Amino acid sequence: MNDSKEMLMKAAQNSHFVLGAVSPEQWPQDDLPQVAFAGRSNVGKSSLLNLLLGRRLAKTSQTPGKTREINFFKIDESLYFADLPGFGYAKMGGKELERMRNMTEQYLRSCKNLAGVIFLLDVRHPENKTDIESFAWFKSLSTALLPVATKCDKLGMQQRQKNMAELKRIHSLEEMPIPTSSFKKTGAELVWAQIAMLIKGENKK
């Protein structure tokens, strides 16, 4: 059995929600590595988390911008997933948006066990302004980024390949984002393989 399959199986068998944190004092204080998940509201973060965990732990919602804390999940007593608040939700008040941005930046800059960030991009909208600005901001923080394309089942093969190439060009990526679909349950093993590399520090940029 390869490492990614084994990690997926362990996640499905032994993972749980820890807490929703709003301050550093609430973050997990042990030495386990952490992998964060970032993306604009309604990009499919909760659905991808559930795909990777092999069961429904992260709450999905039809209401964008609902996650306003950093939600931590513990996997097999060896790793944390940190679900960061979604960004780009226009109906949220300015003060709340600023608070969430500051909280996210504080976590990214000061979490000593952060192995990297899974950055989600909606394959249907490669030129989304919020995605472009947010991805550039994350890159400026010198954090290891793993781009993942979501909702790949929503497009035909030809359009999907075209949009994937656009994502690669627009964000100046060395490789295509990893294609995923929570609906068709595809891409989990590919993402887990890259998470394993992040933890080992093999694809830090």
Side-chain angles (χ1 to χ4, degrees), residues 23-95:
S23 64
E25 295 77 22
Q26 298 175 308
W27 301 342
Q29 300 299 313
D30 54 30
D31 290 327
L32 296 180
Q34 299 181 24
V35 174
F37 289 74
R40 63 181 164 83
S41 299
N42 207 32
V43 75
K45 274 197 295 102
S46 296
S47 296
L48 178 65
L49 281 164
N50 289 333
L51 178 66
L52 294 174
L53 296 173
R55 57 199 179 101
R56 184 171 179 174
L57 276 182
K59 295 181 180 180
T60 58
S61 173
Q62 297 300 314
T63 305
K66 193 168 185 179
T67 301
R68 303 191 181 187
E69 306 169 316
I70 300 177
N71 289 323
F72 289 93
F73 302 85
K74 196 173 188 178
I75 295 92
D76 195 40
E77 301 300 318
S78 61
L79 168 70
Y80 289 101
F81 282 172
D83 181 13
L84 303 177
F87 42 77
Y89 185 46
K91 291 184 179 181
M92 192 179 294
K95 289 185 178 179

Side-chain angles (χ1 to χ4, degrees), residues 8-189:
L8 178 57
M9 287 182 62
K10 286 182 176 180
Q13 294 167 359
N14 188 16
S15 58
H16 63 276
F17 173 74
V18 179
L19 83 163
V22 296
S23 64
E25 295 77 22
Q26 298 175 308
W27 301 342
Q29 300 299 313
D30 54 30
D31 290 327
L32 296 180
Q34 299 181 24
V35 174
F37 289 74
R40 63 181 164 83
S41 299
N42 207 32
V43 75
K45 274 197 295 102
S46 296
S47 296
L48 178 65
L49 281 164
N50 289 333
L51 178 66
L52 294 174
L53 296 173
R55 57 199 179 101
R56 184 171 179 174
L57 276 182
K59 295 181 180 180
T60 58
S61 173
Q62 297 300 314
T63 305
K66 193 168 185 179
T67 301
R68 303 191 181 187
E69 306 169 316
I70 300 177
N71 289 323
F72 289 93
F73 302 85
K74 196 173 188 178
I75 295 92
D76 195 40
E77 301 300 318
S78 61
L79 168 70
Y80 289 101
F81 282 172
D83 181 13
L84 303 177
F87 42 77
Y89 185 46
K91 291 184 179 181
M92 192 179 294
K95 289 185 178 179
E96 181 68 4
L97 284 172
E98 185 67 18
R99 182 191 69 80
M100 288 167 54
R101 182 185 176 98
N102 290 340
M103 177 178 64
T104 297
E105 183 171 3
Q106 185 176 30
Y107 170 77
L108 294 172
R109 289 191 183 277
S110 61
C111 179
K112 60 184 176 64
N113 296 319
L114 181 64
V117 176
I118 310 294
F119 195 99
L120 281 65
L121 299 162
D122 189 332
V123 73
R124 300 172 300 175
H125 309 294
E127 297 185 5
N128 182 273
K129 182 180 178 182
T130 299
D131 284 348
I132 294 170
E133 293 176 350
S134 299
F135 191 84
W137 180 68
F138 272 78
K139 286 179 70 174
S140 74
L141 299 176
S142 300
T143 302
L145 290 176
L146 176 64
V148 169
T150 62
K151 307 189 180 185
C152 288
D153 58 284
K154 304 293 186 182
L155 298 176
M157 182 180 295
Q158 186 174 1
Q159 187 63 50
R160 182 171 66 247
Q161 290 176 340
K162 179 181 177 181
N163 286 18
M164 290 283 283
E166 277 295 283
L167 287 172
K168 181 176 182 291
R169 180 189 65 81
I170 290 168
H171 298 288
S172 301
L173 305 177
E174 294 181 4
E175 299 177 359
M176 296 282 195
I178 298 176
T180 66
S181 167
S182 58
F183 178 74
K184 291 190 174 181
K185 301 187 184 304
T186 56
E189 287 187 26

